[in-house]
Amino acid sequence: MLDRALLRLESAASTSPRCQAMHGTLIRPRRQLWAFRAVQLLNQLPRGSVRQRRSRVMCFTHRPDGSSARSKSRLKGSPADKSPPPVDSLASATSSFDADALLAEEHLVAAVQPLIDGLSGWRKRWTVVGMCFVAFVLCNLDRVNMSIAILPMAQQYGWGAATMGLVQSSFFWGYLLTQVAGGVLADKLGGKSVLGLGVLWWSLATAATPAAAACGLPTLLAARALMGVGEGVAMPAMNALLAKWVPTGERGRSLALVYSGMFTGSVLGLAASPHILSSFGWPSVFYSFGSLGVIWYLIWQQQVASSPAEDPRVTPEERAFITSNLPPSSQERAGPIPWGALLSRREVWAIILCHFCHNWGLFILLTWMPAYYSQVLGLNLLQSGLVSVLPWLAMALMANVAGALADGMVARGVGVTTVRKVMQSIGFLGPALFLSQLGSVGSAAGAVACMVGAQGLDAFSQAGLYANHQDIGPRYAGVLLGLSNTAGVLAGVVGSLVTGHLLQAAGGCASGATAAAGAAAAEGAVGAAAVGAGLGAGWGQVWGVAVALYLVGTLIWLTMSTGERIFD
């Protein structure tokens, strides 16, 4: 159909940013009207691959009275009230056009933007996303190393369970302080500076941990709290940065890749830390992981800017593509934060409340899994450590699958609201289903399969809840994530403490172990406190609370959330 569409263009350029971006390179004005076939533009492109032949043409109508409306040449079946999907070939497959509708509209003056940018070569936004992925790998590398190193540290310094719990909890003294503050700073100053300094800060604090431990417990607690200050800004700053760099049609995949860096970092940290520790001693774990962050920071400073407008290395074509596929306000620095407006919207509270419900179940799974495997299923420590890695791998894989599915749905014209609700419903109902089956599973293999299934489907939240901050308010994406992640961290801490009390009430968990587990909760530490045997009833209550919150979260999300932009 594309080769039959004869497009008539007026010499007066379209007011659409999309069309203006390409006007100078694609159109040679004549006196009145001229015509060309869109297929001729495709024929000018390299013929090396089918992917290079893909294109989508966006047309806008401009009437004599100066008003404008999108033409009927839009994708078939795409509602008129939806925002136009991205035109990048990486975000959409070849589209077909209704040529008759295109040519029949009265007063139609079309401006055509065939996709040229993105057909070949490396895109700068990929570099930004990739560097954020590595930052999140480092984030969890530096978290899980303490869960491994704390055992020989406790032996060396004579710590008991209460002191071990105190050391691990000190991370969150700083982490909670900078969630919202990090978002505010990122929205005002730019995500590059805040995320870069955050990684450098927590990396230096990680490298200083052995020296701080040698100076005494108060110094070590201060170093861990300072590390939490640095890591607390990571998620809000990343969210603010990608809100300016990633078009809507690529948002699901990009965020899924970045968040999968946390799962990848946990896998790498759990696999590498024991070998480094046994070969060079426990201080080497902190030195090696901390030095990686310093190297990352030096590369980050050279390669990344806070927005395409501030990056001189971005090609004009890519800059035009990004800015035309995002709201104009997304490229602006935030002014005074409208706290009243933010906190008065039910869509914002949907994100905050659902983040709480999501993290309650997530951190119970990640924190108490090793204890459940070892003490309830009877696995030895080696087996327990091995199977504890499997859910992290499942999350890293399924997060990217979910992102690709979400972006594919957007590219096919499905509304963003529908996509976010579908993805997050899977992220809630999937874990609820698998956790509800644990009580009837009689084998270790079956229990591990339920855990892997629960956390694998939980990863769909990366294309639902975690992408929604940028949907509803790209200019305040950092602040919004800071607000919701504060609730998420509190859920991790409170949830693990409640879990410990439930298990203790069932008769199998010492109070000191409960405190250590609660402190390790949001840390994601897999070396959680030991849980006694005979806890069938207690664990049934634990899973029941998590399932109930997953169901409550589903109800809130389906009734209160949206994928539409509600803040300029």
Side-chain angles (χ1 to χ4, degrees):
M1 186 68 70
L2 192 60
D3 60 346
R4 293 172 46 215
L6 185 64
L7 307 178
R8 297 187 175 278
L9 306 175
E10 192 173 35
S11 57
S14 166
T15 58
S16 163
R18 297 172 183 267
C19 301
Q20 286 182 346
M22 305 300 293
H23 181 76
T25 58
L26 295 178
I27 300 173
R28 295 184 178 181
R30 297 182 183 179
R31 293 179 58 186
Q32 295 294 330
L33 298 174
W34 70 92
F36 65 89
R37 294 185 181 275
V39 71
Q40 292 175 340
L41 292 175
L42 291 179
N43 289 334
Q44 295 175 10
L45 301 176
R47 298 177 178 271
S49 68
V50 174
R51 185 170 70 89
Q52 289 176 320
R53 308 285 296 171
R54 294 177 176 176
S55 176
R56 177 175 289 169
V57 180
M58 303 303 298
C59 298
F60 296 79
T61 63
H62 292 268
R63 294 179 170 83
D65 60 1
S67 64
S68 64
R70 295 183 182 92
S71 76
K72 298 178 182 178
S73 61
R74 172 173 289 184
L75 278 172
K76 295 179 179 179
S78 180
D81 59 347
K82 293 181 182 176
S83 300
V87 294
D88 195 330
S89 64
L90 298 180
S92 62
T94 306
S95 304
S96 62
F97 275 78
D98 187 341
D100 295 333
L102 173 66
L103 297 176
E105 183 172 349
E106 186 177 4
H107 303 305
L108 174 63
V109 180
V112 180
Q113 182 189 350
L115 175 66
I116 289 183
D117 173 53
L119 293 179
S120 62
W122 186 261
R123 313 320 303 144
K124 187 57 183 287
R125 61 186 182 274
W126 300 348
T127 299
V128 176
V129 172
M131 290 295 292
C132 288
F133 167 81
V134 176
F136 275 51
V137 170
L138 297 174
C139 178
N140 267 32
L141 274 177
D142 292 335
R143 286 193 194 187
V144 302
N145 58 11
M146 178 58 78
S147 67
I148 301 297
I150 198 168
L151 295 177
M153 292 174 70
Q155 292 178 351
Q156 179 175 336
Y157 296 112
W159 295 341
T163 303
M164 293 170 61
L166 184 64
V167 169
Q168 296 200 37
S169 68
S170 61
F171 171 86
F172 296 99
W173 304 348
Y175 190 73
L176 281 171
L177 289 177
T178 52
Q179 289 295 315
V180 176
V184 173
L185 291 174
D187 288 336
K188 287 181 174 293
L189 304 179
K192 173 191 175 178
S193 299
V194 177
L195 180 56
L197 290 176
V199 175
L200 180 64
W201 184 287
W202 89 57
S203 298
L204 293 177
T206 298
T209 298
C215 292
L217 182 61
T219 307
L220 175 61
L221 297 179
R224 294 293 295 173
L226 289 174
M227 177 186 169
V229 167
E231 291 211 6
V233 306
M235 291 178 65
M238 177 279 298
N239 215 38
L241 182 71
L242 295 192
K244 293 176 168 55
W245 274 98
V246 179
T248 304
E250 299 176 8
R251 185 169 294 159
R253 285 170 294 174
S254 298
L255 288 174
L257 176 63
V258 172
Y259 282 120
S260 70
M262 300 180 69
F263 315 138
T264 304
S266 295
V267 171
L268 295 177
L270 292 171
S273 293
H275 297 286
I276 297 174
L277 188 150
S278 61
S279 299
F280 305 103
W282 67 263
S284 61
V285 175
F286 298 98
Y287 295 145
S288 57
F289 289 177
S291 63
L292 293 176
V294 176
I295 296 172
W296 176 94
Y297 175 77
L298 297 176
I299 300 174
W300 176 262
Q301 289 297 104
Q302 296 295 322
Q303 296 294 326
V304 175
S306 290
S307 70
E310 301 175 28
D311 195 330
R313 298 181 179 87
V314 178
T315 63
E317 294 80 10
E318 184 179 13
R319 184 181 293 113
F321 168 72
I322 294 173
T323 56
S324 65
N325 281 284
L326 288 173
S329 61
S330 67
Q331 301 301 314
E332 302 172 4
R333 297 284 174 87
I337 306 300
W339 295 107
L342 292 177
L343 295 176
S344 66
R345 296 300 298 255
R346 68 174 190 171
E347 297 87 351
V348 174
W349 281 104
I351 296 176
I352 294 173
L353 295 175
C354 288
H355 208 145
F356 183 92
C357 295
H358 170 265
N359 277 28
W360 183 288
L362 175 66
F363 281 120
I364 288 176
L365 287 170
L366 298 184
T367 303
W368 291 88
M369 270 194 310
Y372 180 81
Y373 291 152
S374 177
Q375 302 297 328
V376 177
L377 301 182
L379 302 179
N380 61 41
L381 291 178
L382 180 60
Q383 293 170 328
S384 178
L386 178 62
V387 297
S388 293
V389 174
L390 297 179
W392 291 100
L393 291 174
M395 294 184 79
L397 173 63
M398 295 307 296
N400 289 283
V401 170
L405 289 175
D407 286 350
M409 293 172 67
V410 172
R412 290 192 296 271
V414 180
V416 176
T417 298
T418 301
V419 172
R420 299 293 177 243
K421 289 187 175 183
V422 169
M423 293 295 111
Q424 190 56 48
S425 295
I426 297 174
F428 277 148
L429 297 178
L433 174 63
F434 279 104
L435 292 184
S436 66
Q437 302 303 309
L438 277 174
S440 60
V441 172
S443 66
V448 171
C450 284
M451 293 288 192
V452 172
Q455 292 185 241
L457 293 181
D458 180 279
F460 275 74
S461 299
Q462 312 305 324
L465 165 68
Y466 284 89
N468 198 228
H469 310 80
Q470 297 182 25
D471 294 329
I472 68 172
R475 191 194 297 192
Y476 305 109
V479 174
L480 292 171
L481 184 57
L483 288 170
S484 70
N485 202 42
T486 298
V489 174
L490 289 174
V493 175
V494 175
S496 187
L497 287 173
V498 170
T499 298
H501 285 295
L502 290 175
L503 296 176
Q504 182 175 342
C509 188
S511 59
T514 301
E523 177 94 4
V526 295
V531 181
L535 294 176
W539 279 107
Q541 295 174 358
V542 170
W543 305 136
V545 172
V547 169
L549 284 174
Y550 277 134
L551 296 178
V552 170
T554 303
L555 180 62
I556 294 173
W557 190 256
L558 292 178
T559 57
M560 296 173 57
S561 68
T562 182
E564 303 301 322
R565 181 163 56 96
I566 60 176
F567 299 111
D568 291 328

